[in-house]
Amino acid sequence: MVAMAGCIRDKIEPCPPLTVTLEVTDKNWFNIDEVAAEGLAEPMDENLPFREFVQSLSYELIDVETGDPVASGVYDVTHDGQTETLSFDGALPFGQYELVVWGNVSSIPGKSSLSTDGVMLHEDGKWGADNVYHYAGILDYNYDSAFYSAGLERTVGCLLVEATELPSGMDFSIKDVDGVHGTVGKGFVYDVPESVHTELDWGADATSVKTETCLGPTPDGDDASLTIKFRDMDLYVEGETGWPYEIASDPVDITMERNRMTVIKYNYEADGFHIMILVNGQWEQMHQMGID
């Protein structure tokens, strides 16, 4: 009975503290090799330090029997090691605990526990998501089981858009994505459909551009709608409505998945945009359309 409730401190051998070694499971996107083969992205070196993937950690340790949090923390990762270690007080009683960890989330959401509060992926629908990582699991802590490993997995996907053969003078783009998840909760439970609006000033005129935006996944069985506009900001006249020179595509349906890149190519020709999607290493035409 005493052994089940806690650790006997007058024994010769001390009780081992509950220790969890955190690793990054998703260092690269699932389909990075096929995207890299097109020259559109490069794989991350998987031997880089932990902090190159996860810069900050939020965690909570929850007593499964009572549902109460018994330990929590929020901190920045600053060392050069490839793993991170969470070690809990050796006075922690043996028992069953749930560990919930968020990477690149600089605070614990909600007033009590991560077990009941999700993480907002898009701030007011105006920004791409951070590269949020997550782990949730049950740990049976006893004298013979005090050391665990846990893998942090990415919660978001990546939308990569390449536009080519644009008219000269283009220097600004706008993307609107309607129908992705806006929050993620414990155990990768997604919720709250979101519309995400992003704008990018290229800094110079260009006829080709590539942009990447992290987004929540689309609900199972559904697609999101993507619309993109390109502008020549040099032709803007203050006080006028509309834009003297803007080209825009009609919406196209896309699917966003966790830890996968969705790659779309817009090729501008005389009859409008020719839009292609990269699927299993092959370009497939989505459809050809005129200009709005």
Side-chain angles (χ1 to χ4, degrees):
M1 293 290 290
V2 174
M4 292 177 64
C7 206
I8 302 175
R9 294 299 161 186
D10 57 0
K11 294 293 184 181
I12 296 176
E13 294 185 4
C15 296
L18 176 61
T19 303
V20 182
T21 299
L22 299 176
E23 303 172 332
V24 178
T25 299
D26 296 329
K27 295 181 178 180
N28 277 295
W29 306 100
F30 289 144
N31 58 335
I32 186 60
D33 289 341
E34 64 186 60
V35 180
E38 298 296 320
L40 296 175
E42 293 186 3
M44 291 283 287
D45 180 354
E46 303 217 354
N47 294 315
L48 288 172
F50 185 94
R51 61 182 174 83
E52 291 295 324
F53 306 94
V54 176
Q55 292 79 49
S56 62
L57 281 172
S58 304
Y59 69 88
E60 235 176 4
L61 189 69
I62 302 160
D63 187 315
V64 170
E65 183 177 359
T66 65
D68 296 329
V70 297
S72 63
V74 179
Y75 65 95
D76 293 332
V77 180
T78 58
H79 63 79
D80 290 332
Q82 294 184 20
T83 62
E84 175 67 7
T85 300
L86 299 178
S87 185
F88 298 95
D89 190 337
L92 186 72
F94 289 149
Q96 196 173 59
Y97 296 92
E98 181 178 36
L99 178 64
V100 183
V101 183
W102 297 97
N104 298 327
V105 175
S106 58
S107 62
I108 296 178
K111 297 180 180 179
S112 56
S113 169
L114 284 173
S115 62
T116 56
D117 294 281
V119 171
M120 182 181 294
L121 295 174
H122 307 100
E123 184 179 347
D124 298 326
K126 294 181 180 180
W127 308 102
D130 290 331
N131 220 338
V132 174
Y133 284 82
H134 178 51
Y135 167 82
I138 303 297
L139 311 177
D140 289 309
Y141 174 42
N142 57 62
Y143 192 85
D144 295 320
S145 298
F147 301 95
Y148 287 87
S149 295
L152 293 172
E153 298 178 80
R154 194 182 267 118
T155 65
V156 298
C158 177
L159 173 62
L160 189 156
V161 173
E162 183 186 36
T164 60
E165 305 298 329
L166 295 171
S168 61
M170 293 296 170
D171 56 7
F172 196 88
S173 57
I174 299 169
K175 291 197 299 290
D176 285 287
V177 181
D178 182 28
V180 295
H181 282 301
T183 65
V184 57
K186 184 189 70 176
F188 298 92
V189 176
Y190 293 92
D191 202 359
V192 187
E194 182 73 271
S195 297
V196 181
H197 176 89
T198 60
E199 300 181 358
L200 178 64
D201 185 342
W202 304 353
D205 294 348
T207 58
S208 298
V209 68
K210 181 180 69 174
T211 68
E212 296 182 27
T213 307
C214 287
L215 297 167
T218 45
D220 290 343
D222 291 338
D223 292 322
S225 176
L226 166 66
T227 303
I228 189 165
K229 301 175 183 178
F230 303 94
R231 289 177 178 171
D232 183 347
M233 295 295 286
D234 295 332
L235 299 181
Y236 172 69
V237 178
E238 187 174 357
E240 290 189 4
T241 59
W243 294 89
Y245 199 40
E246 174 184 277
I247 55 176
S249 73
D250 290 333
V252 294
D253 293 334
I254 61 171
T255 300
M256 298 299 304
E257 299 179 40
R258 185 194 74 78
N259 199 47
R260 183 173 294 275
M261 303 186 84
T262 298
V263 183
I264 310 291
K265 180 181 288 188
Y266 287 77
N267 188 55
Y268 180 78
E269 299 185 14
D271 57 348
F273 283 113
H274 292 237
I275 305 175
M276 311 287 285
I277 184 169
L278 188 64
V279 179
N280 297 324
Q282 303 292 323
W283 289 104
E284 297 182 2
Q285 182 165 311
M286 300 185 75
H287 50 86
Q288 178 179 333
M289 60 187 61
I291 306 168
D292 289 345

